[in-house]
Amino acid sequence: MAQAAAVAKPPTPFRRRRASATPRRLPYLLIAPAALLMLGFIAYPVLSVFYYSLQDYNPTKPWRNGFAGFENFTRIFTEDPLFWDTLVFSTKWVFVEVGLQLLFGLALALIVNQTFAGRALGRALVFSPWAVSGVLTSAIWVLLYNSQTGITRYLADMGIGDYGVSWLSDTSTVFPAVVVADLWRGVPFFAILILADLQSVSKDLYEAAEVDGASRFKQFIHITLPHLKDAIILSTLLRAVWEFNNVDLLYTLTGGGPAGETTTLPLYIANTSVDAHDFGYASALTTVAFVILLFCSMVYLRLSKFGGEK
């Protein structure tokens, strides 16, 4: 009779099977709107850049528009000395900025991680420049570097330097001037990330090290730095990409001058597309910059062993 009852058991209704499958599909249905937005706002612009990099596209000269193949890329590597000059300066800019920002950010994070009176206010002052937009940061430093009302005016009043000197117009001082301006905005980024990771270090490790007679320097080398490894790798990678693509600060302060001394590759791309309206060649430059960043990021993560044992 048990076998007969089992045979007579009605099959599972289709509606019940469909209802049981719905919870498995629900997460995909929920993320579908966000995925479509990402495709629209990220994938489409990226693919369009790749497409226009193979075109001659200049709205001011429509009779020359059309398929160009790899002519734009050939022009970049064989006929355009500005590409190599801007790439060299971009590399210099990234190494100097990221290195100094990491150094000062680490120092500030170690300071505000200590217990002292007014620590909350100190942290707020350290992190406040990161809350300022890039445009406002540029405006602040334009005023500070103004030859009539800025820093040089007050230094001249104290007998240091001459009146009317513009650090942004002198090829010998423009690079340190823009580096200092960007340091003011970039150092808090490292301080925030490193401080967040510092607060997760167990105090028991430092107490055990003190019992063993380890100095503060040895504790920093053998406990703090290994724990901060992943945070430092990730923050330097992110900041390097941002600094490589930095346009707003340099464009506002110097416009790439004087005499092209502060023209990065992204700024060169912006001038080529916006000023010269050569969108095909600018797209090819953008594609090359994308490949360079992708390759360098992969090599950096590989060599640094990001996510591995500390």
Side-chain angles (χ1 to χ4, degrees), residues 83-265:
F83 166 75
W84 297 106
D85 293 339
T86 56
L87 182 59
V88 169
F89 177 76
S90 297
T91 305
K92 174 184 175 182
W93 171 260
V94 169
F95 273 96
V96 172
E97 278 294 340
V98 175
L100 291 177
Q101 289 177 21
L102 173 61
L103 179 64
F104 290 116
L106 177 60
L108 282 176
L110 292 172
I111 291 173
V112 297
N113 190 47
Q114 304 299 316
T115 302
F116 56 89
R119 183 175 67 171
L121 178 61
R123 289 181 175 181
L125 293 175
V126 168
F127 301 152
S128 58
W130 183 246
V132 181
S133 67
V135 175
L136 185 56
T137 299
S138 303
I140 291 172
W141 285 95
V142 165
L143 294 175
L144 288 175
Y145 286 146
N146 187 283
S147 60
Q148 303 299 322
T149 59
I151 298 174
T152 55
R153 166 70 182 274
Y154 293 100
L155 291 177
D157 290 339
M158 294 185 293
I160 304 175
D162 301 323
Y163 288 98
V165 174
S166 176
W167 291 344
L168 297 178
S169 301
D170 190 340
T171 56
S172 62
T173 58
V174 63
F175 183 71
V178 294
V179 164
V180 170
D182 201 57
L183 280 177
W184 183 80
R185 180 176 63 173
V187 167
F189 170 78
F190 282 95
I192 293 171
L193 291 184
I194 293 175
L195 177 62
D197 209 25
L198 275 175
Q199 293 178 332
S200 64
V201 182
S202 176
K203 293 182 180 180
D204 295 339
L205 296 175
Y206 293 105
E207 293 175 356
E210 289 181 359
V211 171
D212 292 338
S215 63
R216 287 290 184 89
F217 179 74
K218 289 184 177 180
Q219 293 177 27
F220 175 75
I221 295 297
H222 297 288
I223 299 177
T224 305
L225 277 184
H227 187 87
L228 296 176
K229 174 190 171 185
D230 285 349
I232 291 175
I233 293 172
L234 181 61
S235 58
T236 51
L237 177 60
L238 291 175
R239 197 61 190 162
V241 173
W242 291 342
E243 289 297 344
F244 185 88
N245 292 319
N246 190 337
V247 172
D248 54 353
L249 183 71
L250 292 173
Y251 184 82
T252 305
L253 290 179
T254 66
E261 287 289 324
T262 58
T263 302
T264 59
L265 181 55

Side-chain angles (χ1 to χ4, degrees), residues 281-295:
Y281 189 63
S283 297
L285 288 169
T286 304
T287 302
V288 172
F290 171 78
V291 173
I292 291 173
L293 282 178
L294 180 62
F295 175 76

Side-chain angles (χ1 to χ4, degrees), residues 49-73:
V49 167
F50 292 156
Y51 169 77
Y52 283 111
S53 67
L54 302 175
Q55 307 287 323
D56 278 329
Y57 183 68
N58 189 330
T60 63
K61 301 175 181 178
W63 60 88
R64 297 180 56 183
N65 294 344
F67 182 74
F70 293 99
E71 290 182 6
N72 288 327
F73 296 97

